[in-house]
């Protein structure tokens, strides 16, 4: 970090400024590829080693000093992309990392709900964008149950998410294939067809 030659002051401490945005690590990785695609393993390494810890640090800062300034540290698009990366690769990252991300997701949702109840002008329009993050709730839960091998609850959570519109249909179809594959493997054809029928509507 270099000194600011203009002498401008920032409202953030050096410790805060040194914590890169959690999603930028993937963007940096892609920018260095010169058109090539990095392996999933490389991206998962970046997720585990840099992205998830960065998000945890942001949460710790906000909980230690809950104010709008600290909440503004998080760009909704980045946090949404990071949660999407985690649920997309639920079967490739370790269960402990997925579980840690899910616990963190729930903390962020609780935090956003608390901020959304503040009166204006303490609440900004930016909070409206965080509602986009909530769309991953059913997906997180259904895949958490799947990893815990509680496949019936995973099916029910997928069904509930589709019924409420909270589970995006394109993402539900991708995960539904995993559920159907499991039910076929254990020769539970009734549940396999029930999952297929659910995804057809």
């Amino acid at each position: 970090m270099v000194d600011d030659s203009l002498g401008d002051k920032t409202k953030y401490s050096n410790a805060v400024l040194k914590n890169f945005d959690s999603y930028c690590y993937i963007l940096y990785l892609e920018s260095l590829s010169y058109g090539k695609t990095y392996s999933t393993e490389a991206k998962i390494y970046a997720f585990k080693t840099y992205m998830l810890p960065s998000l945890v640090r942001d949460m710790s800062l906000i909980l230690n000093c809950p104010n709008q300034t600290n909440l503004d540290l998080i760009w909704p698009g980045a946090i949404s992309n990071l949660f999407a990366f985690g649920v997309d690769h639920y079967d490739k990252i370790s269960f402990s990392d997925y579980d840690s991300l899910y616990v963190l997701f729930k903390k962020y949702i609780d935090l956003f709900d608390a901020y959304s109840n503040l009166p204006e002008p303490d609440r900004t329009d930016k909070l409206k964008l965080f509602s986009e993050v909530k769309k991953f709730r059913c997906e997180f839960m259904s895949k958490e149950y799947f990893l815990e091998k509680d496949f019936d609850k995973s099916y029910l959570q997928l069904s509930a998410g589709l019924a409420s519109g909270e589970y995006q249909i394109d993402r539900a179809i991708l995960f539904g294939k995993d559920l159907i594959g499991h039910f076929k493997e254990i020769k539970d054809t009734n549940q396999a067809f029930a999952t297929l029928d659910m995804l057809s509507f």
Side-chain angles (χ1 to χ4, degrees), residues 138 157-169 172-173 198-199:
C138 284
Q157 193 61 54
L158 175 61
S159 177
L162 285 171
S164 66
E166 193 173 342
Y167 211 134
Q168 293 177 268
I169 184 61
I173 289 173
M198 175 175 61
L199 295 171

Side-chain angles (χ1 to χ4, degrees), residues 35-66:
K36 298 179 182 178
T37 302
Y38 275 97
S39 67
T40 299
E41 290 75 13
K43 293 179 180 179
I44 289 175
Y45 177 82
F47 171 82
K48 176 184 177 67
T49 309
Y50 301 107
M51 297 164 67
L52 187 54
S54 175
L55 202 60
V56 170
R57 287 192 293 269
D58 280 338
M59 170 56 76
S60 297
L61 173 70
I62 293 169
L63 291 179
N64 289 334
C65 187

Side-chain angles (χ1 to χ4, degrees), residues 10 23 54 56 96 107 173 179 185:
T10 176
Y23 195 66
S54 175
V56 170
S96 61
K107 287 183 178 179
I173 289 173
L179 264 180
E185 185 179 338

Side-chain angles (χ1 to χ4, degrees), residues 138-168:
C138 284
E139 187 169 1
F140 261 115
M141 294 177 68
S142 61
K143 291 180 176 178
E144 176 91 351
Y145 286 134
F146 188 92
L147 292 172
E148 292 175 346
K149 303 188 184 305
D150 194 337
F151 302 108
D152 289 338
K153 284 186 178 179
S154 180
Y155 168 86
L156 290 174
Q157 193 61 54
L158 175 61
S159 177
L162 285 171
S164 66
E166 193 173 342
Y167 211 134
Q168 293 177 268

